[in-house]
Amino acid sequence: MTAVRPFRPRSGFHADQRAGRLFAAYLVSLLLHGLLLFALAGGWPGHAARSDKPPVYYVDLVHKPVLDPQAGRPEPRTPDTPVPAPPEKAPVRAAVPAGPAAAGSTDRRVAAALEKLRDERALQEKFAAMRQAQAVPKETPVGLSDARGTEAGVGTLAYVQAAIQQNWALSPYLLADPRKAAGVEAWVRVTYSRNGRLERFSFEMESKDAQFNESIKRALVKSQQLPQPLPERLEEVRVVFNLKAMKDLAGLR
Amino acid sequence: MELITNAGLVVKLVLLILAYFSVTSWAIIIYKTLVIQRATRDSARFLDFFWARRRFDVIAQGLDDFRHSPLAVLFRDVHQELLQNRRAADGGGEGLDADLGEQDRVARVLRRATTSETHRLEKYLAFLATTGSAAPFIGLFGTVWGIMDAFHGIGKSGSASLAVVAPGISEALVATAIGLVAAIPAVIAYNHFVNKVNVLIGEMDNFCQEMLNVVQRLPRSRQER
């Protein structure tokens, strides 16, 4: 008998053609995609913790620019600081009529006594003012020291200067450089509209340090729009930038 | 997630197609990684085994240890062909190719087995290539459609503010993003697998030449032993 040879050749093992392995890979892939969707939908533990953090807004209610700032507000009246009593008037003795020779010397004595009384009175007023100033707690917000107005807040110019100062930053290397003289200073003329928009600025006096001048320009560009409108238009006012002040602010003396 | 749920019907359909492409691509990536890794590992082990034994019958008995190697498949087919030739010669039978030389028959068997194994190794890679090339375009289609839809809505509402325009465009752009997410791994995996398969094909070609030499060198009477 002749051995019958198969006409169709046998293929090899083809073990990997089993559908089971591909199906298992499909299940793994589906699982991976499901996990990814779950993470994107916010189900991931760290996701909620990050997204639930509420935003924080800082509003500066103390330094509101006003037209007519008061020097300090409010000035609490503390019980242990009595209101200074008005200085007692020194009794003026009745002038004794004297002879013409003695009249000139008496006038001089009276004038000297009056002068002394005025001095004492001025001194007492100063003491009273000092006691009053000490009676105000330090944490009480105050306006400008030289202001004499009625509105709570700071003056327009002081507000603008503070706003520009906040945006002013120097390289820490420059700030820490002891060779930089404390006299590095620049004056800038700025014009702000009533809605707090910087209209123009120009250097009235540039410092010799180019990096310092650049930092001022950057601060002015950052301060193009102030956070609050101004009570009045500021026309060509001078703002002084001083490196020493900047170092003091940074704690580098 | 709101971007997907708020999208239009066509964009959702596009996203569904892209999801199918992505899931299938990753399934193929996982599957082919295992297949090619095993084929590479078993081929190296089979070559060591083949050159250490040097007897076809002994080698044939140990083939079950190299089930994933394409070289083992080539050897098995050649060995079966030689056995059939021997049986035919011993029985005096006449096959279709009885008058042809044994070398030619072995060469044909090797070519057929090589083609078959190459096809097996390259199976499903075409899907990865299709995903890599088509998925971005499908995503782009979804985006274009979504933007058209958004502009249509803007025209109806009569407002062109950013609050009206932005959500529609944002929803539409999700389709392109997902298209790229599906395509990028597919392209990377395709290039990687093609490189690995080419290495295996090179090994199969070398093994074919070696097998032909061995078959030619061995005396006919010893081939079965």
Side-chain angles (χ1 to χ4, degrees):
Chain A
M1 289 290 291
T2 307
V4 179
R5 297 189 63 188
F7 185 72
R8 185 174 179 180
R10 294 169 62 187
S11 56
F13 297 124
H14 298 287
D16 57 340
Q17 281 189 350
R18 288 180 208 158
R21 286 183 184 169
L22 187 59
F23 183 69
Y26 228 103
L27 286 182
V28 173
S29 175
L30 269 175
L31 186 70
L32 286 174
H33 282 75
L35 280 175
L36 187 69
L37 268 180
F38 180 69
L40 286 176
W44 205 257
H47 189 274
R50 282 197 303 275
S51 60
D52 287 349
K53 195 174 178 182
V56 180
Y57 300 100
Y58 295 95
V59 180
D60 195 350
L61 295 174
V62 176
H63 296 102
K64 180 189 166 194
V66 291
L67 199 58
D68 196 17
Q70 65 183 16
R73 65 179 175 80
E75 294 174 2
R77 192 184 295 272
T78 49
D80 53 347
T81 54
V83 178
E88 292 175 3
K89 287 181 181 176
V92 180
R93 283 181 291 181
V96 180
S105 62
T106 306
D107 285 346
R108 280 197 298 274
R109 275 202 304 254
V110 168
L114 281 173
E115 187 67 27
K116 195 177 172 186
L117 272 173
R118 277 194 210 103
D119 289 347
E120 280 179 2
R121 191 172 178 179
L123 211 61
Q124 280 177 353
E125 280 178 356
K126 277 185 184 173
F127 283 145
M130 282 173 68
R131 278 198 296 271
Q132 203 169 7
Q134 282 172 355
V136 179
K138 283 186 177 176
E139 59 267 20
T140 304
V142 293
L144 292 176
S145 58
D146 55 346
R148 290 290 178 268
T150 55
E151 292 179 78
V154 294
T156 314
L157 181 58
Y159 172 77
V160 169
Q161 281 177 333
I164 298 172
Q165 187 87 14
Q166 276 186 347
N167 291 328
W168 188 31
L170 264 180
S171 158
Y173 302 105
L174 184 66
L175 277 175
D177 190 354
R179 289 171 300 178
K180 293 288 177 191
V184 176
E185 192 173 276
W187 298 354
V188 183
R189 292 258 173 204
V190 296
T191 299
Y192 271 93
S193 65
R194 282 194 62 160
N195 57 7
R197 186 87 188 156
L198 176 65
E199 291 184 348
R200 59 180 175 273
F201 71 88
S202 59
F203 275 89
E204 187 180 352
M205 186 191 81
E206 286 194 8
S207 78
K208 290 177 183 173
D209 192 326
Q211 205 175 354
F212 184 78
N213 296 336
E214 273 302 310
S215 73
I216 294 168
K217 283 179 192 168
R218 280 199 300 273
L220 287 166
V221 168
K222 274 188 184 176
S223 313
Q224 273 184 327
Q225 179 63 56
L226 296 174
Q228 296 188 56
L230 302 177
E232 60 180 338
R233 177 184 168 82
L234 282 185
E235 185 78 34
E236 293 288 327
V237 292
R238 177 191 292 167
V239 181
V240 177
F241 294 87
N242 191 288
L243 185 59
K244 183 177 181 301
M246 194 67 187
K247 282 185 171 179
D248 288 346
L249 278 176
L252 299 166
R253 291 176 188 278
Chain B
M1 283 302 287
E2 289 83 14
L3 292 177
I4 297 172
T5 51
N6 294 338
L9 187 66
V10 176
V11 177
K12 276 182 184 167
L13 194 67
V14 165
L15 292 179
L16 203 66
I17 293 169
L18 289 173
Y20 164 73
F21 269 103
S22 181
V23 169
T24 310
S25 292
W26 275 100
I28 290 171
I29 289 169
I30 294 166
Y31 173 72
K32 294 306 282 187
T33 302
L34 292 174
V35 167
I36 291 177
Q37 201 174 17
R38 285 171 178 169
T40 308
R41 185 193 60 203
D42 282 7
S43 292
R45 285 175 54 233
F46 174 75
L47 278 178
D48 293 340
F49 181 76
F50 179 81
W51 292 114
R53 297 300 183 276
R54 302 179 68 86
R55 285 172 61 109
F56 280 15
D57 52 346
V58 175
I59 294 168
Q61 284 170 6
L63 283 183
D64 285 343
D65 294 338
F66 314 103
R67 294 174 66 229
H68 304 288
S69 168
L71 305 184
V73 175
L74 298 187
F75 174 81
R76 181 182 170 131
D77 283 5
V78 169
H79 186 241
Q80 284 178 348
E81 181 65 28
L82 291 173
L83 282 177
Q84 284 174 352
N85 283 343
R86 171 56 58 190
R87 284 191 200 112
D90 288 350
E94 294 175 1
L96 285 174
D97 52 357
D99 54 336
L100 296 176
E102 193 173 63
Q103 296 290 323
D104 291 337
R105 285 196 296 276
V106 168
R108 278 200 301 275
V109 165
L110 282 171
R111 271 201 299 276
R112 184 188 62 81
T114 302
T115 306
S116 168
E117 283 303 298
T118 303
H119 174 70
R120 180 180 70 90
L121 290 171
E122 287 179 344
K123 199 172 184 182
Y124 305 125
L125 289 187
F127 188 89
L128 290 183
T130 305
T131 303
S133 57
F137 290 110
I138 296 171
L140 192 63
F141 166 73
T143 297
V144 170
W145 191 276
I147 288 177
M148 278 165 56
D149 215 16
F151 277 112
H152 187 67
I154 291 163
K156 273 187 174 175
S157 68
S159 171
S161 70
L162 200 62
V164 176
V165 178
I169 294 174
S170 167
E171 285 157 20
L173 283 171
V174 169
T176 301
I178 294 182
L180 290 173
V181 165
I184 291 168
V187 171
I188 293 172
Y190 175 78
N191 288 331
H192 174 73
F193 291 143
V194 164
N195 182 43
K196 291 281 182 186
V197 168
N198 281 338
V199 170
L200 284 170
I201 289 172
E203 281 185 5
M204 281 193 287
D205 286 341
N206 290 339
F207 186 73
C208 287
Q209 304 305 320
E210 294 291 344
M211 277 294 288
L212 284 172
N213 288 340
V214 168
V215 168
Q216 196 173 20
R217 273 201 303 269
L218 288 177
R220 190 182 179 89
S221 57
R222 291 180 60 194
Q223 282 177 5
E224 280 190 53
R225 283 187 285 151

